């Protein structure tokens, strides 16, 4: 929204600068008050300048309040006044410019975007210009005047005048008062608010005083507002704090709604997970129970299988001597016959006689034949004796072991 | 700066109260959300651990079932083997069987000695025995083939031919039927 700077008085006279165009109108005719940043010039406001030691914050506020109560004791009730103040640091403390107005008068300007006092704006503006010396500035708006005395650029005295006073009277009263109270002569006199001023005193426009950058200072308000943040009396925003609070509450409620929804989803999810967890726990318990049973059963069965009787049955094999002897009988080669066969602890000794043999070669052939026998794992010729062309040979034989064949039922 | 803040307007008070209440409620639910989120994470971790534990138990269970099946198979085999092989509950029963086989093979069993012993190492009961027999070579070999099916644990076998007949001495033991 575009801001409009202006100056007003309590009668509703309004002077605007909107863009570059100057307008004078009545406040009632201006239908965009919420855009207006204005300074109030009225003889019904009270301005005071006080000096305090270097204090600030709540201490300054309290000291100021006490000072105002004492100062305005016979004029007004401080509780019925709205006041704003601005501070200016000086050598041994702080200079405070206070502007006051009745609260009920202020209500007329509720719709303004921002409102302050012209004295505050002018004091701030001149302070920023850093002008030396002591001079008087008379600011005129319609029939109201404000006279301000500046010393070394800082506001030192301010006074508002009613409509009945003349410009010259106002200047004279201010000069006299200042001389009497501060023991200082006011040098130059400047004016602002209007383009020319008829006075018996030598007066100059404020534009001749201010330094470079400001070519035409007819009105303080717009320039001052552009260069600084004046102390606003109150500021009406498009959205009041309540609106922000309600918006925040609505957002908070919406977020709460979302949170409730998320929480509900989470709760049902957690419930589902709990059920799943319980189901899994049951499954684990069942599996572990089965495992225990099977382990126990397996242990029993292994114990049974490892019992001596079962091991004996499983490992039982017989030496294949029957098969071996039968195979020898079937061979019946080289006139060779069994003389004896001894089997003891799987060690077998075989004594053979080969009749009418001329050489030992026959014995070796027998050895070869034995070695090829499929029931023998190893064979060794231990001894050979010759007796009248008969050879008696002694073999040591390792027999293969065979499983007992199961008879059919 | 003194702004007019001494009194809160009614709407301001109400909206502030509304804001505070809504903020408090939101705070409560945000806190609850945080707790629920943590709880959900805990539950998920717990379920993940449970699933892992279940998988591990099931694998173990399968392994044990396989082992149990194998053990049962071995037991069945052992029982079958035991039933088919070890039929003799006393030396008398076995003596009858031996005589029967000898008659079939036309050999004569001499010096037959049968008894019962308990193996001190294994605790198993055995029928222990030894015998001698003389006979024609063919008959003795036939007899040897006949006793092939008996689950004899041969301790000593002696076969020699002193004269025309073949002489066999045999000592053995056989597990008793339970």
């Amino acid at each position: 929204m575009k801001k409009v700077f202006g100056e007003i008085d309590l009668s509703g006279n309004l002077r605007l600068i909107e863009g570059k165009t100057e307008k004078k109108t009545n406040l009632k005719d201006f239908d965009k008050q919420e855009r207006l940043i204005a300074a109030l010039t009225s003889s019904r406001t009270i301005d005071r300048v006080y000096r305090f030691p270097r204090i600030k914050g709540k201490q300054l506020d309290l000291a100021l309040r006490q000072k105002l109560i004492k100062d305005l004791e016979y004029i007004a009730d401080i509780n019925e006044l709205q006041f704003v103040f601005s501070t200016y640091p000086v050598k041994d403390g702080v200079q405070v410019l206070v502007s006051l107005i009745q609260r009920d008068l202020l209500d007329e300007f509720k719709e303004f975007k921002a409102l302050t006092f012209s004295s505050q704006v002018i004091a701030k503006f001149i302070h920023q210009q850093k002008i030396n010396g002591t001079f008087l500035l008379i600011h005129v708006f319609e029939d109201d005047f404000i006279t301000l005395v500046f010393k070394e650029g800082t506001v030192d005295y301010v006074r508002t005048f009613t409509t009945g006073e003349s410009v010259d009277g106002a200047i004279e009263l201010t000069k006299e008062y200042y001389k009497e109270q501060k023991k200082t002569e006011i040098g130059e006199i400047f004016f602002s608010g209007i383009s020319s001023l008829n006075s018996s005193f030598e007066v100059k426009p404020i534009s001749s005083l201010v330094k470079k950058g400001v070519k035409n200072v007819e009105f303080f308000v717009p320039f001052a507002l552009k260069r600084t943040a004046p102390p606003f009396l109150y500021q009406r925003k498009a959205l009041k704090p309540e609106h922000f609070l309600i918006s925040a509450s609505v957002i908070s409620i919406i977020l709460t709604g979302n949170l409730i929804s998320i929480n509900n989803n989470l709760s049902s999810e957690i419930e589902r997970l709990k059920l799943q967890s319980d189901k899994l726990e049951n499954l684990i318990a069942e599996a572990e129970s089965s495992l225990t049973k099977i382990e126990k059963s397996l242990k029993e069965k292994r114990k049974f299988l490892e019992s001596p009787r079962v091991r004996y049955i499983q490992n039982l094999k017989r030496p294949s001597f029957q098969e071996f002897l039968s195979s020898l009988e079937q061979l019946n080669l080289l006139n060779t016959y069994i003389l004896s066969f001894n089997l003891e602890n799987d060690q077998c000794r075989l004594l053979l006689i080969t009749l009418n043999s001329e050489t030992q070669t026959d014995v070796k052939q027998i050895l070869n034949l034995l070695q090829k026998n499929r029931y023998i794992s190893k064979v060794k010729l231990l001894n050979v004796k010759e007796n009248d062309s008969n050879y008696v040979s002694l073999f040591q034989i390792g027999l293969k072991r065979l499983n007992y064949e199961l008879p059919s039922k | 700066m003194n702004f007019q803040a001494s009194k809160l307007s009614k709407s301001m008070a109400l909206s502030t109260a509304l804001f505070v209440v809504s903020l408090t409620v939101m705070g409560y639910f945000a806190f609850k959300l945080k707790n629920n989120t943590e709880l959900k994470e805990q539950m998920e971790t717990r379920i993940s651990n449970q699933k892992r534990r279940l998988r591990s138990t099931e694998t173990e269970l399968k392994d044990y079932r396989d082992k149990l099946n194998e053990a049962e198979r071995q037991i069945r085999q052992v029982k079958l083997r035991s039933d088919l092989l070890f039929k003799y509950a006393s030396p008398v029963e076995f003596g009858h069987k031996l005589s029967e086989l000898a008659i079939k093979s036309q050999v004569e069993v001499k010096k037959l000695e049968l008894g019962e012993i308990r193996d001190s190492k294994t605790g198993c009961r055995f029928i222990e025995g030894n015998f001698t027999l003389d006979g024609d070579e063919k008959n003795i070999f036939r007899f040897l083939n006949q006793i092939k099916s008996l689950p004899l644990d041969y301790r000593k076998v002696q076969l020699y031919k002193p004269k025309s007949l073949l002489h066999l001495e045999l000592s053995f033991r056989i597990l008793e039927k339970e």
Side-chain angles (χ1 to χ4, degrees), chain A residues 201-266:
Chain A
F201 293 95
E202 189 188 342
V203 292
K204 299 173 193 171
I206 191 69
S207 55
S208 64
L209 177 68
V210 296
K211 291 174 186 171
K212 56 185 175 180
V214 186
K215 287 179 182 171
N216 187 8
V217 188
E218 288 184 354
F219 308 105
F220 278 96
V221 179
F223 291 107
L225 284 174
K226 280 180 184 174
R227 281 167 175 74
T228 182
F232 294 127
L233 182 60
Y234 63 86
Q235 192 165 1
R236 184 187 172 277
K237 290 180 179 173
L239 287 171
K240 291 179 181 175
E242 296 97 296
H243 295 149
F244 282 114
L245 283 171
I246 290 167
S247 305
S249 302
V250 170
I251 291 168
S252 172
I253 288 165
I254 292 167
L255 285 176
T256 305
N258 275 343
L259 282 174
I260 290 171
S261 165
I262 295 167
N263 262 321
N264 281 343
N265 287 344
L266 263 179

Side-chain angles (χ1 to χ4, degrees), chain A residues 6 17 19 26 46 51 75 78 85 101 113 142 160 189 192 203 211 225 261 266 281 294 299 310 320 346 362 383:
Chain A
I17 285 192
N26 192 288
I46 304 168
R51 181 169 292 202
I75 304 171
I78 184 77
F85 64 90
I101 190 171
K113 184 170 176 62
E142 294 292 322
T160 54
I189 301 166
S192 73
V203 292
K211 291 174 186 171
L225 284 174
S261 165
L266 263 179
E281 200 61 50
I294 289 174
K299 206 172 171 183
V310 172
S320 54
D346 292 342
D362 294 336
N383 197 5

Side-chain angles (χ1 to χ4, degrees), chain A residues 260-314:
Chain A
I260 290 171
S261 165
I262 295 167
N263 262 321
N264 281 343
N265 287 344
L266 263 179
S267 294
S268 40
E269 182 78 358
I270 287 166
E271 200 58 38
R272 190 185 64 76
L273 288 173
K274 271 184 186 170
L275 286 174
Q276 194 183 349
S277 173
D278 289 348
K279 199 176 165 186
L280 280 169
E281 200 61 50
N282 287 339
L283 285 173
I284 289 169
E286 278 175 26
E288 281 179 345
S289 165
S290 302
L291 190 65
T292 311
K293 280 180 193 168
I294 289 174
E295 264 182 323
K296 199 177 167 188
S297 173
L298 185 64
K299 206 172 171 183
E300 282 171 8
K301 289 192 170 23
R302 277 189 174 157
K303 195 178 170 188
F304 175 77
L305 281 170
E306 281 167 11
S307 68
R309 183 178 173 85
V310 172
R311 287 173 77 89
Y312 178 84
I313 292 168
Q314 281 182 321

Side-chain angles (χ1 to χ4, degrees), chain A residues 325 328 335-342 349-355 385 387 390-395, chain B residues 137 141 158-163 165-168:
Chain A
L325 290 173
L328 279 185
N335 295 325
T336 300
Y337 302 97
I338 300 168
L339 281 180
S340 71
F341 172 86
N342 288 303
R349 284 185 175 229
L350 178 69
L351 193 65
L352 294 177
I353 184 162
T354 308
L355 300 173
K385 281 183 182 173
N387 185 8
N390 298 328
Y391 282 95
V392 176
S393 47
L394 179 65
F395 296 91
Chain B
E137 191 174 327
F141 275 30
Q158 269 195 318
L159 191 72
Y160 56 96
K161 207 177 197 177
K163 290 177 185 172
L165 291 173
L166 202 62
H167 179 80
L168 173 71

Side-chain angles (χ1 to χ4, degrees), chain A residues 82 232 242 248-249 252 256 263 277 281 295 301 309 313 322-323 329 339-343 404, chain B residues 2-3 11 19 22 29 33 36 50 64 81 141 148 150 152 154 156-159 161 176 178:
Chain A
Q82 177 69 50
F232 294 127
E242 296 97 296
S249 302
S252 172
T256 305
N263 262 321
S277 173
E281 200 61 50
E295 264 182 323
K301 289 192 170 23
R309 183 178 173 85
I313 292 168
Q322 290 100 330
E323 288 81 357
E329 190 192 20
L339 281 180
S340 71
F341 172 86
N342 288 303
L343 174 70
Y404 283 98
Chain B
N2 175 38
F3 286 150
S11 62
F19 178 65
S22 59
F29 280 103
L33 178 69
N36 277 347
Q50 282 176 322
Y64 270 81
R81 196 172 165 82
F141 275 30
K148 236 174 22 178
L150 295 175
L152 297 175
Y154 295 100
K156 195 175 176 183
V157 180
Q158 269 195 318
L159 191 72
K161 207 177 197 177
E176 255 187 15
E178 273 193 324

Side-chain angles (χ1 to χ4, degrees), chain A residues 85-104:
Chain A
F85 64 90
S86 50
T87 57
Y88 301 93
V90 288
K91 264 186 181 178
D92 51 348
V94 62
Q95 194 101 318
V96 179
L97 170 63
V98 195
S99 304
L100 302 102
I101 190 171
Q102 291 283 339
R103 284 183 196 276
D104 52 349

